Amino acid sequence: MCGIIGVSGVPDAARLAYLGLYSLQHRGQESAGIVAVDGAGVARSHRGMGLVGEVFTEQVLAGLPGDVAIGHTRYSTAGTSVLANAQPVLARYREGPLALGHNGNLTNAAQLRTDLVAKGSIFQTSSDSEVLVHLIARSEAREPEDQLMDAFERVEGAYSLVITVGRTLYAIVDSRGFRPLWLGRLGGGQGHVVVSETCALDLIGATPVRELQPGEFLRIHDGAVDQLPALPAKPHRRCIFELVYFSRPDSTIFGRSVDKVRRALGRELAREHPAPGADCVFSVPDSSNAMALGFAEEAGIKLEHALIRNHYVGRTFIHPAQAVRNSKVKIKFNPVREVLLGRNVVVVDDSLVRGTTSQGLVQMIRQAGAAQVHFRVASPPITGPCYYGIDTPSRDELIASSNSVEQIRQHLGVETLGYLSLEGMLRAAGGDPAQFCHACFSGQYPTAIPDDLTASRHAAPLVTAVSV
Ligand code: AMP
C-alpha cells in the first residue's frame, strides 16, 4: 500500500511534501521518496528505505529546491522491498523529466511488461508502476495529457496517481476509484496539493477543496486547476478495507468520516453478535478503537483499556526466536491485569487476517486472568487476497480461506467468536453498497485476475541497487 502527495505553486514544495508524508506514514513504512522540480524544470529526487523521518534530513531537503513536488510512502504489494522499487519513479523522456507516485496495484502489469520487453523496453525495477512510465513514453500522441491517457486506457486495476511532467502536476484516479485522493488549496490560492487522505491536508494547513471522483484527471499548473476529460467510465468500486482498516480515523474518504464508519461497524457488530453478561469491552489498539466504542455504546457494556500498545516498535525488530514465546505480540502489546482479572471480556478487532496476532493476544489476555474471552471482528472473514493494493497474504495464509468460524474459534481459544456479516459491513459504510470493492471478503473481484498475478506480486528485483 502507499501514500501519495503532490504539491504545486508553493516555495519549498519538497518541505511541504515531507510534512504531508508524515501523516501518510501509516500507508507505507518500507520506503519514502520525494521528487522536486525547480523553476527551470530541473527535477531532483531522493528516495530511501525506511520511515519518512529516517529518509529525509535537513540537508537532503535543502537539496530538493522548487515549487512543484511529489512524494510517496511505500509498502510493497507488487515488486520486492528494495530501494530500486522505492517511489516516486523519475525518468527523462521527450517532454522533460517525468515523475510518478502510484497508490494501488495494476492487475495486467505482468502482461503489459512482457509485451513492452518484447518491443525492446528496458525495465529498471520490478514494480508495476514502471509499466505506466513506459506506456506514457511510448505513446504516439503529441500532448503530454494524451500520452498519459493512452497509458491509462491500457492499464487495468487500481491507481491513484500524482505525476509531474516538467513543471505540470497531474492527479488521476482510476475509473473504479479503488483508492482515495483529495485536492486541497494552500495559502492565498496559488498553491495546490493532492493527498491520499485528508489527515495530510490537516497537517500541512491546506483547505480541503474536494475529493477526486473515480476516473478524474486533473492538471495543476501555475495556480490553475483544470479538469481534463475523464477516463472511460466504469462502475465505481471504492475499497471498503480503506474504511475498515487502512485509512486513518481522522480522515474523510469516499465522502465519509472514517471514524463514523468504524463506530457504525462496531454498532452493527454488537447487534449481530452481542455478548450478554460480559463485564467489559475493549479494542486492539489503535486500529479497532472506534469499533470497540461503537460496540460498547450499542451493547451497553463498559468500554475499558485492557491492552496497551507500544508505539515505539520499529520495523527492524529482530525476532529473538525461541527466547520469548509470542515475542512479536508481546513487544507490541501488554495487558492491564487489573482490568482483566476474573472478568468476562469482549475483544473487538477490526479484521482477522492470518489469525496469528489474535491467537497470541488471546493467550496474553487469558494469562492476565480473564475468565471468559469473547472475540468480535468488525468485518467479515477475509477469504481472498487483494489484487488492488492492500498487502494481504496469499490465499493459503488467510485463516478464513480454509477454516470455518468454529475452527477459527478453536484456533484462537475463545468462548465465542463473531464476525460482522458482509451486509452489516455495507450497512455501516452507508450509501449504495454497489459502489464498494469487497473482493477480499466476498470473492467478487471487479476486474479479471490473470493467472500469473499471484506469482508476480513479489517478483524478484531486476536490479538490486540504484543510487539516490
Ligand atoms: P492476525 O491475527 O494475524 O490475523 O492479525 C490481525 C490484525 O492485523 C488486525 O488487528 C488488523 O488490524 C491487522 N491487519 C489487517 N490487515 C492488515 C494488513 N494488510 N497489514 C497489516 N496488518 C493488518
Side-chain angles (χ1 to χ4, degrees), residues 1 75 241 244-246 284-288 332-333 348-361 375 382 390-393 399 412:
M1 220 356 167
Y75 191 89
F241 206 62
V244 169
Y245 168 77
F246 210 76
V284 180
D286 298 314
S287 54
S288 63
K332 213 167 155 188
F333 299 103
V348 176
D349 207 347
D350 60 276
S351 55
L352 257 181
V353 186
R354 292 184 173 87
T356 45
T357 310
S358 320
Q359 192 189 37
L361 276 174
F375 208 95
I382 300 180
I390 300 276
D391 181 54
T392 38
I399 191 166
L412 297 182

Side-chain angles (χ1 to χ4, degrees), residues 277-302:
D279 299 313
C280 66
V281 52
F282 56 87
S283 69
V284 180
D286 298 314
S287 54
S288 63
N289 288 352
M291 282 104 159
L293 199 59
F295 190 102
E297 275 168 12
E298 182 67 28
I301 304 173
K302 192 176 178 209

Side-chain angles (χ1 to χ4, degrees), residues 324-337:
V324 187
R325 239 163 73 82
N326 280 327
S327 50
K328 259 191 175 163
V329 174
K330 276 186 172 171
I331 195 165
K332 213 167 155 188
F333 299 103
N334 202 38
V336 183
R337 287 181 179 73

